């Protein structure tokens, strides 16, 4: 017969190591003391001992008694002359009790034995606890009822031998550390996503990996995590150098399990233009702007039903825009939490601020044990060990370290900078130099807080220790945003009085002094500065009188980078070019901003736009590129130059076309065409006509598209421009397919393929195979269609054409759908959807989503199909994207099928919900559909 009991398992940790250190005889005395203390407490709290090894299996009638015993047990072990630490796990459940006879006990049996699942469950919970920790199952927490104790939830854990995850809680008093349990082979933290449990490590996030341990902010970390349980917007406030970023990243990492849709870090420090704040957040989240709809509105719609944490870092220089962003997100998305760091509050309703103060300073007369407990001293010692691995804090060093840390006033950045000197200086020398520096600064101005004066004094001290060329290089490096590589440093900074070849050694020297940080990514070394150091270095650059000249060199250098990225996008080095563009994106932005502001040749703004058009398109920065073009077109120097205007208009139109904004694309192309006809550049005229043809086709102007492309093709033929001819034939084939004239299209494509092979243009070849596959599909020949589409996929993959790969994958998904292979269809269509979303290919994205709606219908989910379909139809109306006639007929039939399958009332409600959400809702619904 079973009965409910509270089973508590304890286990003394590291007992083997302790035994090796003390010896067997002394350890036997430790165990005797342990057993006496444990059993005395057991009588006090009314428990019963069931089994004994390094710990105990104990049974209680009430969960509250078990918890009180465990906490008293932890305190008693910590107070022993030889302190011990034990882990404890508590579960309440049905047990089977078997009392053994006196004869069995005499033969070695236990007086009472416990059987049932409750015992192994408690054992597995105990096995993942840390020393000094008491973990409870959900059943134990419920049995505990109301308690004066603090209970902290550690989420759900999947443990070996148990079929379903268990929610774990930690019980403790207010001084407890509440660290997470041990995540390893025995157990793994999981979260629910739809109908599945996912390991926390698989949750999406972009949190930077930290190279050093988190030290000195344990109390603040607990308080921040506690506040995030009670507020949706928490802003960490404090001056630079206090570790706000590190604290926010640690808190976000430890709370990841609460956000099934991801934890996302948005670093705003590199931004100099406040208008880019929303686009930076949207880019991190993978949200793309929709024409005719503000990006902030799209972002809020995207987040509306998601469980997300946003970590907005370094907000102080863009607080107004960040405030508007956070207020809008908090209103629209009830499951989103925001953790910000700033030097001033955002002043948003509902904002909770948390001041980050310097670390507590030790007293000069603290003894060695107390110093070792000081958070500031611990941080200093651990960072010194990075320079001198064998370093130990001793009685001899203690006074020096205490004085040094007090002078640094508990500022983590200051402590780390001082510790970095330990590689080449003794602690006494470091202390002496700090002492002299601060004496010189005691009579300084009182505008800055003393802590800020101290931090500046430390940076001054580090700066004064540099050689002349090191100082000059540090100042020049301040022009870089978001990091830089060796080549950039040499080109931008390697000018009189230093040579480019001097820069390598100088960078090493600055890195050794912790004034530069090294980032190793994909075997490429890049450098970056802390923002506090960069601000300081900018001041020095102006004092050198070189600000304008070095920024101009920076702008010129990164124009070369932009051109290299452009040239590498159409070949096997495409991936490397994209990596380079992403790595230097902040520098490219800074260079463009300088050109737009008149700090460099204003024509560079247009040249940058021309060079980066392909990169912006491939990487989803289309909206940002369009902003650059608009700003460039507003410059007097650009409007005064018909050539510059024409280039800017063409780029702007091409970007608008990518977002299916055909109205804007046509307007800009028509003006561009007018200018280029005036300039008499026939090749540019033909290129503009060819792009204009596709914009007109997208808008449904089939006759205008055909006439425009025929004019372009005639010019290309007259000039002998074979790539242009191939594109002209390809575009005319697309017009023919739109009309339903498939035989005409086949003839045009055959001629186009011959040209593509002759000029070895794999991109055009892949597009031809794609359209031939589409024609075969429409003709009801899935075998031929599949062959063409697979050839297109191979060709595009070889050419590095990711957009072409996405199109071929989408059409292969359509074939799988038509054949009834729903699993393959969903996999292919979802792969294509993600690519279309990333590339902001709105027309293809909507086509693909409509096919996914058909998959939902085929799987018996008409309500989901109706929501997706309604969202797509509304987005087509907003974007004014027309369907080809036969596609329109096919879609009308599919819409009627969805309506019939779902019923009029369900269809109307789902359709209306989808229409209200628009394109952002489409992303949400589709992701829900595949969960």
């Amino acid at each position: 017969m079973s009965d409910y009991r509270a089973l508590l398992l304890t286990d003394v940790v590291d007992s083997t190591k302790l035994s090796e250190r003390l010896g067997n005889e002394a350890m036997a005395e430790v165990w005797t003391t342990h057993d006496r203390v444990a059993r005395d407490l057991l009588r006090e709290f009314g428990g019963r001992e069931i089994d004994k090894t390094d710990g105990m299996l104990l049974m209680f009638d009430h969960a509250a008694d078990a918890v009180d015993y465990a906490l008293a047990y932890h305190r008693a072990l910590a107070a022993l002359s030889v302190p011990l630490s034990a882990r404890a796990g508590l579960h309440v459940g049905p047990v089977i009790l078997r009392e053994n006879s006196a004869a069995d006990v005499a033969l070695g049996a236990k007086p009472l034995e416990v059987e049932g699942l409750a015992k192994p469950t408690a054992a597995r919970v105990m096995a993942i606890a840390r020393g000094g920790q008491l973990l409870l199952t959900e059943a134990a927490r419920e049995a505990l009822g109301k308690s004066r104790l603090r209970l902290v939830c550690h989420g759900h854990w999947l443990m070996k031998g148990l079929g379903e995850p268990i929610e774990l809680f930690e019980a403790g008093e207010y001084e407890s550390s509440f660290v997470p349990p041990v995540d390893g082979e025995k157990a793994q933290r999981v979260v629910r996503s739809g109908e599945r449990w996912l390991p926390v490590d698989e949750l999406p996030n972009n949190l930077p990996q930290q190279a050093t341990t988190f030290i000195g902010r344990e109390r603040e970390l607990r308080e921040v995590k506690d506040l995030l349980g009670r507020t949706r917007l928490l802003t960490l406030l404090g001056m630079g150098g206090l570790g706000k970023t590190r604290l926010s990243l640690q808190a976000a990492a430890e709370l990841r399990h609460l956000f099934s849709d991801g934890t996302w870090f948005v670093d705003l420090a590199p931004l100099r233009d406040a208008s880019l704040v929303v686009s930076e957040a949207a880019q991190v989240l993978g949200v793309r702007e929709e024409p005719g709809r503000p990006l902030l509105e799209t972002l809020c719609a995207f987040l509306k039903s998601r469980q997300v944490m946003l970590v907005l870092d370094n907000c102080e220089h863009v607080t107004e825009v960040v405030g508007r962003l956070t207020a809008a997100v908090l209103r629209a998305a009830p499951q989103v939490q925001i953790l910000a760091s700033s030097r001033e509050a955002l002043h948003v309703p509902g904002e909770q601020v948390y001041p980050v103060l310097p670390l507590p300073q030790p007293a000069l007369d603290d003894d060695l044990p107390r110093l070792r407990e000081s958070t500031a001293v611990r941080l200093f010692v651990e960072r010194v060990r990075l320079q001198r691995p064998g370093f130990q804090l001793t009685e001899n060093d203690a006074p020096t370290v205490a004085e040094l840390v007090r002078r640094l006033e508990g500022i983590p950045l200051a402590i780390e900078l001082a510790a970095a000197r330990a590689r080449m200086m003794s602690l006494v020398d470091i202390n002496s130099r700090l002492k002299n520096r601060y004496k010189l600064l005691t009579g300084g101005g009182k505008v800055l807080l003393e802590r800020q004066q101290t931090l500046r004094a430390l940076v001054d001290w580090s700066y004064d220790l540099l050689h002349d060329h090191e100082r000059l290089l540090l100042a020049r490096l301040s022009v870089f945003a978001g990091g830089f590589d060796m080549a950039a440093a040499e080109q931008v900074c390697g000018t009189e009085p230093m040579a480019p070849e001097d820069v390598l050694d100088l960078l090493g020297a600055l890195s050794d002094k912790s004034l530069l940080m090294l980032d190793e990514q994909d075997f490429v070394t890049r450098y970056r500065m802390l923002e506090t150091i960069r601000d300081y270095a900018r001041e020095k650059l102006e004092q050198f009188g070189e600000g304008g000249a070095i920024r101009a060199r920076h702008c010129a250098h990164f124009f070369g980078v932009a051109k290299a990225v452009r040239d590498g996008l159409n070949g096997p080095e495409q991936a490397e070019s994209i990596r380079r563009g992403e790595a230097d994106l902040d520098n490219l932005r800074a260079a463009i901003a300088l050109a737009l502001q008149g700090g460099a040749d204003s024509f560079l703004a247009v040249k940058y736009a021309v060079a980066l058009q392909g990169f912006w398109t491939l990487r989803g920065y289309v909206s940002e590129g369009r902003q650059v073009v608009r700003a460039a077109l507003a410059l007097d120097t650009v409007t005064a130059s018909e050539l510059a205007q024409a280039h800017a208009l063409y780029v702007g139109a091409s970007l608008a076309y990518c977002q299916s904004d055909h109205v804007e694309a046509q307007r800009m192309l028509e003006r561009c065409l007018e200018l280029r006809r005036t300039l008499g550049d026939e090749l540019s005229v033909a290129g503009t006509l060819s792009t204009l043809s596709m914009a007109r086709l997208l808008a449904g102007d089939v006759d205008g598209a055909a006439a425009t492309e025929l004019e372009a093709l005639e010019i290309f033929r007259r000039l002998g421009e074979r790539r242009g001819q191939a594109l002209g034939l390809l575009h005319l084939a697309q017009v023919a397919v739109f009309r339903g004239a498939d035989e005409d299209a086949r003839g045009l494509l055959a001629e186009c393929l011959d040209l593509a092979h002759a000029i070895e243009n794999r991109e055009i070849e892949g597009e031809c195979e794609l359209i031939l596959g589409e024609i075969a599909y429409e003709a009801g020949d899935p075998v031929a269609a599949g062959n063409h589409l697979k050839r297109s996929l191979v060709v595009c993959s070889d050419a590095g054409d990711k957009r072409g790969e996405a199109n071929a994958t989408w059409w292969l998904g359509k074939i799988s759908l038509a054949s009834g292979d729903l699993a393959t269809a969903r996999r292919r269509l979802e792969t294509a959807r993600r690519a279309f979303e990333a590339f902001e290919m709105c027309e293809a994205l909507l086509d693909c989503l409509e096919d996914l709606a058909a998959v939902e219908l085929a799987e018996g989910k008409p309500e989901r199909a109706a929501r997706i379909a309604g969202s797509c139809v509304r987005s087509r109306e907003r974007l004014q994207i027309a369907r080809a006639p036969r596609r329109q007929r096919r879609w009308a039939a599919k819409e009627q099928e969805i309506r019939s399958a779902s019923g009029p009332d369900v269809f109307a409600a789902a359709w209306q919900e989808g229409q209200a959400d628009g394109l952002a809702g489409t992303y949400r619904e589709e992701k829900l559909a595949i969960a």
Side-chain angles (χ1 to χ4, degrees):
M1 183 174 178
S2 64
D3 197 0
Y4 273 78
R5 291 288 191 276
L7 294 185
L8 177 72
L9 270 84
T10 67
D11 177 56
V12 175
V13 300
D14 295 329
S15 59
T16 301
K17 291 181 180 178
L18 184 60
S19 180
E20 291 173 352
R21 181 164 66 85
L22 297 179
N24 292 336
E25 185 175 343
M27 193 63 195
E29 180 62 28
V30 169
W31 281 126
T32 300
T33 304
H34 166 272
D35 294 348
R36 184 182 67 251
V37 167
R39 286 167 179 151
D40 287 346
L41 288 171
L42 195 59
R43 287 190 292 272
E44 179 181 347
F45 291 97
R48 185 169 180 180
E49 181 179 342
I50 305 300
D51 201 356
K52 167 74 172 68
T53 55
D54 283 0
M56 293 180 170
L57 169 60
L58 309 171
M59 185 175 72
F60 296 81
D61 290 334
H62 304 290
D65 291 336
V67 170
D68 288 342
Y69 170 89
L71 296 178
Y73 172 72
H74 284 321
R75 289 194 297 271
L77 294 193
L80 295 176
S81 57
V82 178
L84 298 176
S85 178
R87 50 189 177 173
L90 177 64
H91 178 58
V92 173
V95 298
I96 299 173
L97 304 178
R98 187 171 72 242
E99 296 274 356
N100 289 315
S101 66
D104 289 334
V105 172
L107 293 174
K110 299 178 180 64
L112 178 67
E113 294 189 37
V114 174
E115 296 178 354
L117 290 177
K119 179 179 174 181
T121 300
R124 286 173 173 82
V125 172
M126 179 272 291
I128 67 169
R130 299 176 188 270
Q133 198 169 41
L134 168 60
L135 296 180
L136 295 76
T137 63
E138 168 65 10
R141 186 192 70 83
E142 290 182 357
L144 188 61
K146 292 184 178 180
S147 172
R148 70 184 186 282
L149 297 170
R150 190 180 185 199
L151 292 177
V152 173
C153 177
H154 285 307
H156 288 81
W157 292 74
L158 185 62
M159 289 174 274
K160 271 190 174 181
L162 300 182
E164 288 293 321
I166 294 178
E167 188 173 14
L168 294 183
F169 298 83
E170 182 178 356
E173 286 130 340
Y174 286 99
E175 65 269 24
S176 299
S177 60
F178 295 110
V179 295
V182 178
D183 190 350
E185 293 182 359
K186 297 178 181 178
Q188 191 174 41
R189 185 184 289 188
V190 295
V191 295
R192 183 177 288 279
S193 177
E195 298 179 358
R196 297 179 299 160
W197 289 96
L198 291 178
V200 169
D201 287 342
E202 292 183 18
L203 292 179
N205 75 94
N206 70 333
L207 298 178
Q209 293 297 314
Q210 301 303 309
T212 55
T213 53
F214 183 77
I215 297 172
R217 293 288 189 190
E218 290 83 0
R219 176 186 59 81
E220 291 89 338
L221 178 62
R222 292 196 303 272
E223 292 175 352
V224 165
K225 289 164 62 178
D226 183 63
L227 285 171
L228 285 169
R230 295 185 272 126
T231 185
R232 294 182 56 215
L233 171 60
L234 178 63
T235 303
L236 307 184
L237 293 181
M239 69 176 194
L242 289 178
K244 301 186 297 296
T245 298
R246 188 71 172 88
L247 177 59
S248 65
L249 288 173
Q250 190 70 25
E254 294 191 12
L255 294 174
R256 274 197 304 150
H257 64 284
L258 300 177
F259 301 95
S260 58
D261 293 306
T263 303
W264 303 103
F265 177 75
V266 184
D267 184 10
L268 301 175
L271 297 185
R272 289 292 170 264
D273 183 356
S275 68
L276 292 175
V277 167
V278 176
S279 61
E280 185 72 10
Q283 179 61 34
V284 167
L285 289 165
V287 176
R288 314 300 172 190
E289 188 174 40
E290 300 174 29
R293 192 180 196 187
L295 180 56
L296 181 56
E297 182 180 328
T298 305
L299 178 65
C300 289
F302 175 84
L303 290 170
K304 183 171 69 173
S305 64
R306 283 176 162 76
Q307 288 183 308
V308 164
M309 171 177 275
L310 288 178
V311 183
L312 305 179
D313 196 42
N314 291 301
C315 302
E316 52 271 1
H317 58 304
V318 287
T319 51
E320 183 176 347
V321 178
V322 173
R324 290 198 298 269
L325 167 65
T326 55
V329 168
L330 293 176
R331 284 195 303 268
Q335 298 182 87
V336 172
Q337 280 189 286
I338 300 174
L339 177 57
S341 67
S342 179
R343 298 181 191 182
E344 59 182 276
L346 303 180
H347 301 295
V348 173
E351 178 186 28
Q352 170 73 57
V353 298
Y354 181 85
V356 178
L357 303 175
L359 298 173
Q361 301 171 41
L364 287 175
D365 59 351
D366 278 352
D367 58 17
L368 185 59
R370 191 176 295 274
L371 277 179
R372 285 174 173 164
E373 294 175 359
S374 164
T375 54
V377 171
R378 284 169 48 213
L379 177 62
F380 179 76
V381 169
E382 287 298 320
R383 296 305 184 252
V384 168
R385 284 176 180 158
L386 296 178
Q387 316 300 325
R388 292 159 51 184
F391 177 77
Q392 295 290 335
L393 185 62
T394 65
E395 292 282 0
N396 289 334
D397 290 328
T400 302
V401 171
E403 184 180 2
L404 189 152
V405 171
R406 283 181 60 82
R407 281 209 179 88
L408 299 175
E409 293 186 306
I411 299 171
L413 175 60
I415 291 170
E416 299 211 20
L417 287 172
R421 292 293 181 188
R423 185 185 307 175
M424 60 194 78
M425 299 170 65
S426 70
L427 297 184
V428 173
D429 287 338
I430 295 173
N431 209 0
S432 175
R433 288 175 181 267
L434 281 173
K435 187 186 303 181
N436 292 335
R437 172 55 58 189
Y438 293 157
K439 283 182 179 179
L440 291 173
L441 290 173
T442 52
K446 299 298 182 182
V447 177
L448 298 177
L449 295 174
E450 287 184 7
R451 293 190 301 273
Q452 292 170 308
Q453 290 179 319
T454 301
L455 178 60
R456 186 175 184 84
L458 180 64
V459 180
D460 274 332
W461 166 69
S462 296
Y463 182 80
D464 287 347
L465 289 176
L466 302 177
H467 299 305
D468 288 344
H469 280 187
E470 291 173 345
R471 294 178 186 177
L472 182 59
L473 180 62
L474 182 71
R476 289 175 174 179
L477 292 173
S478 68
V479 301
F480 291 104
F484 55 91
D485 60 18
M486 176 70 65
E490 290 174 338
Q491 291 298 313
V492 175
C493 304
T495 184
E496 290 294 334
M498 67 182 72
E501 54 268 24
D502 298 332
V503 171
L504 173 60
D505 290 339
L506 293 171
L507 286 175
L510 294 176
S511 177
D512 287 343
K513 297 174 175 65
S514 293
L515 293 170
L516 285 182
M517 313 294 287
L518 269 68
D519 287 328
E520 294 281 350
Q521 296 181 357
D522 299 326
F523 306 105
V524 175
T525 300
R526 290 179 62 85
Y527 301 84
R528 62 182 175 88
M529 282 186 194
L530 294 172
E531 197 62 24
T532 302
I533 304 298
R534 179 176 286 113
D535 288 341
Y536 180 92
R538 285 194 191 103
E539 293 181 17
K540 296 299 182 183
L541 184 64
E542 298 309 317
Q543 292 174 15
F544 280 116
E546 292 193 343
I550 297 299
R551 281 190 287 271
R553 290 177 65 87
H554 176 275
C555 186
H557 170 76
F558 282 99
F559 179 53
V561 171
K563 290 192 294 183
V565 169
R566 174 201 63 195
D567 294 342
L569 290 181
N570 297 315
E573 65 276 16
Q574 176 176 320
E576 173 59 24
S577 295
I578 287 174
R579 185 205 64 77
R580 178 65 188 276
E582 287 287 358
D584 278 318
L585 181 58
D586 289 321
N587 283 306
L588 293 167
R589 286 170 169 170
I592 292 171
L594 185 72
L596 290 172
Q597 294 162 6
D601 182 359
S602 56
F603 286 118
L604 273 175
V606 176
K607 292 180 179 180
Y608 264 105
V610 172
L612 292 175
Q613 176 187 329
F615 174 77
W616 283 335
T617 301
L618 284 174
R619 301 304 293 171
Y621 299 110
V622 175
S623 297
E624 183 177 332
R626 293 178 72 181
Q627 288 181 0
V628 171
V629 170
R630 293 187 190 109
L633 286 169
L635 296 176
D636 292 340
T637 50
V638 173
T639 56
S641 167
E642 292 182 339
L643 180 62
Q645 268 196 80
H647 281 306
L649 287 165
Y650 184 81
V651 173
S654 298
L655 296 174
Y657 173 75
C658 287
Q659 292 187 326
S660 302
D661 187 355
H662 56 81
V663 174
E664 178 76 357
Q666 286 191 80
R667 183 189 67 78
M668 298 181 86
L669 285 168
E670 286 164 358
R671 174 57 180 155
C672 177
L673 182 61
E674 179 184 335
L675 290 170
R676 285 181 165 173
R677 287 191 193 278
T678 301
L679 292 167
D681 183 350
E682 281 197 297
L683 187 58
S684 295
V685 167
T688 307
L689 285 166
S690 190
T691 305
L692 178 58
S693 169
M694 290 296 94
R696 287 175 173 170
L697 183 64
L698 183 66
D701 181 7
V702 186
D703 293 337
T708 306
E709 195 60 64
L710 284 169
E711 182 183 354
L713 182 57
E714 190 277 326
I715 298 173
F716 284 137
R717 282 173 170 161
R718 187 171 68 251
L719 297 176
E721 216 299 308
R722 292 197 294 173
R723 182 177 180 279
Q725 291 177 57
L727 283 172
L729 292 166
L730 179 67
H731 291 169
L732 287 173
Q734 290 174 287
V735 173
V737 169
F738 193 95
R739 282 175 166 159
D742 291 349
E743 285 306 313
D744 293 344
R746 284 194 182 95
L748 290 163
L749 290 169
E751 187 179 353
C752 181
L753 267 174
D754 288 342
L755 263 177
H757 290 146
I759 62 176
E760 298 183 343
N761 191 302
R762 305 282 279 168
E763 182 180 353
I764 295 175
E765 179 186 349
E767 188 72 13
C768 286
E769 294 288 357
L770 180 79
I771 300 173
L772 287 168
E774 178 183 351
I775 293 170
Y777 173 86
E778 297 289 358
D781 187 349
V783 175
N787 290 336
H788 282 298
L789 293 170
K790 288 173 184 176
R791 279 200 294 272
S792 176
L793 185 61
V794 170
V795 169
C796 292
S797 179
D798 290 345
D801 180 2
K802 301 299 183 183
R803 295 163 68 87
E805 286 184 57
N807 276 317
T809 302
W810 164 44
W811 275 96
L812 285 167
K814 290 173 75 73
I815 291 177
S816 299
L817 175 60
S819 70
D821 184 355
L822 299 183
T824 302
R826 181 180 287 284
R827 187 183 72 251
R828 286 172 169 170
L829 292 172
E830 175 57 23
T831 298
R833 183 200 64 77
R834 287 194 297 267
F836 293 149
E837 180 182 345
F839 301 147
E840 296 184 318
M841 298 166 65
C842 294
E843 181 185 22
L845 175 60
L846 291 171
D847 285 339
C848 185
L849 285 167
E850 288 167 354
D851 287 329
L852 280 163
V855 172
E856 297 289 351
L857 179 64
E859 291 179 344
K861 305 169 198 169
E863 185 177 355
R864 273 184 180 169
R867 285 202 299 272
I868 297 172
S871 180
C872 291
V873 168
R874 177 69 186 97
S875 296
R876 282 189 184 275
E877 292 171 356
R878 180 186 294 132
L879 300 173
Q880 301 178 49
I881 298 175
R883 291 190 187 90
R886 59 183 166 196
R887 287 190 185 179
Q888 179 58 40
R889 290 192 295 270
R890 189 165 54 246
W891 173 249
K894 183 60 65 179
E895 183 181 318
Q896 183 57 46
E897 190 179 346
I898 295 171
R899 187 188 301 270
S900 299
S902 56
D905 293 339
V906 172
F907 177 85
W911 185 273
Q912 184 176 4
E913 182 182 345
Q915 290 219 321
D917 284 343
L919 196 55
T922 302
Y923 301 158
R924 171 171 58 84
E925 291 302 334
E926 179 51 27
K927 286 178 180 176
L928 287 175
I930 65 167

